Amino acid sequence: MITVTSTAKSSTTGERADLLESLAKHRYFLRYTVRDLTDEQAAQRTTASELCLGGLVKHVSDVESVWADFIVRGTDAVRGGPADGTGADDREKEFTLRDDETLADVLDRYAKVAHRTDEIVASLPDLDISHPLPKAPWFEPGSRWSARRVLLHIIGETAQHAGHADIIREALDGSKSMG
């Protein structure tokens, strides 16, 4: 049996608790996929893409951090980052584990980002609080996202990349996260 826990206050209930539990499950699978790896293994590409396991953890952490900031600060929080596409020159670096980075450091940062996100969600007066999205080709002009919608986006992003990580890990050493 897998134990999945959110870092949010234990008094979080209802919809928030369900959403945070779902996010915690997908975070767990991503972290579990990189278990027992060396920094060299975490930096290794096993597919035709630029993706490596350490880079995926970095990317998910960065995306979660930006979108959690969006919940609090709105559009200004996502300018120049992965949500508006203006930081495209740094995209390759985002998906790699550089020589000056360790898997342990990346995982530690991810844990801090997760804790902050959980605390933000637990403390919001209302999940319907919304902000306009930044101008980007993939957002309909004038669109707004509620805190709930942002959290669903973070969950989806985490789940998608946990699946990518599982494929990369299996190609690396045959280990599987989910079966």
Side-chain angles (χ1 to χ4, degrees):
M1 174 170 225
I2 295 172
T3 302
V4 179
T5 57
S6 167
T7 60
K9 300 170 189 169
S10 60
S11 61
T12 303
T13 61
E15 179 184 19
R16 289 172 207 245
D18 290 345
L19 291 169
L20 290 174
E21 184 179 330
S22 180
L23 180 54
K25 176 183 73 169
H26 296 298
R27 286 177 183 144
Y28 168 82
F29 279 120
L30 181 59
R31 292 179 67 92
Y32 182 72
T33 301
V34 300
R35 72 198 177 282
D36 303 325
L37 292 178
T38 66
D39 293 336
E40 292 76 25
Q41 289 172 310
Q44 187 175 340
R45 291 176 43 210
T46 63
T47 67
S49 77
E50 291 295 319
L51 300 178
C52 70
L53 292 166
L56 278 173
V57 175
K58 273 177 47 178
H59 170 73
V60 170
S61 180
D62 290 346
V63 168
E64 182 171 327
S65 179
V66 166
W67 283 109
D69 284 346
F70 175 84
I71 290 171
V72 175
R73 298 186 307 133
T75 305
D76 289 343
V78 296
R79 289 209 169 97
D84 74 358
T86 60
D89 293 344
D90 294 327
R91 296 283 292 168
E92 281 186 33
K93 293 177 193 168
E94 182 181 337
F95 286 103
T96 62
L97 192 64
R98 298 185 323 256
D99 291 340
D100 64 333
E101 296 174 315
T102 67
L103 181 58
D105 290 342
V106 169
L107 287 168
D108 183 57
R109 179 173 182 272
Y110 187 37
K112 290 174 183 169
V113 166
H115 180 76
R116 179 175 177 266
T117 300
D118 290 355
E119 291 298 317
I120 288 169
V121 172
S123 68
L124 286 173
D126 188 342
L127 290 176
D128 289 327
I129 292 170
S130 70
H131 299 289
L133 291 167
K135 291 181 183 180
W138 45 85
F139 295 134
E140 187 172 326
S143 294
R144 298 177 70 87
W145 274 9
S146 66
R148 176 184 299 100
R149 177 64 185 90
V150 171
L151 190 56
L152 289 168
H153 177 72
I154 294 169
I155 292 167
E157 182 88 9
T158 305
Q160 177 181 1
H161 290 308
H164 293 149
D166 195 38
I167 291 166
I168 292 169
R169 178 66 188 257
E170 186 175 3
L172 178 68
D173 66 4
S175 293
K176 297 179 185 178
S177 300
M178 299 180 217

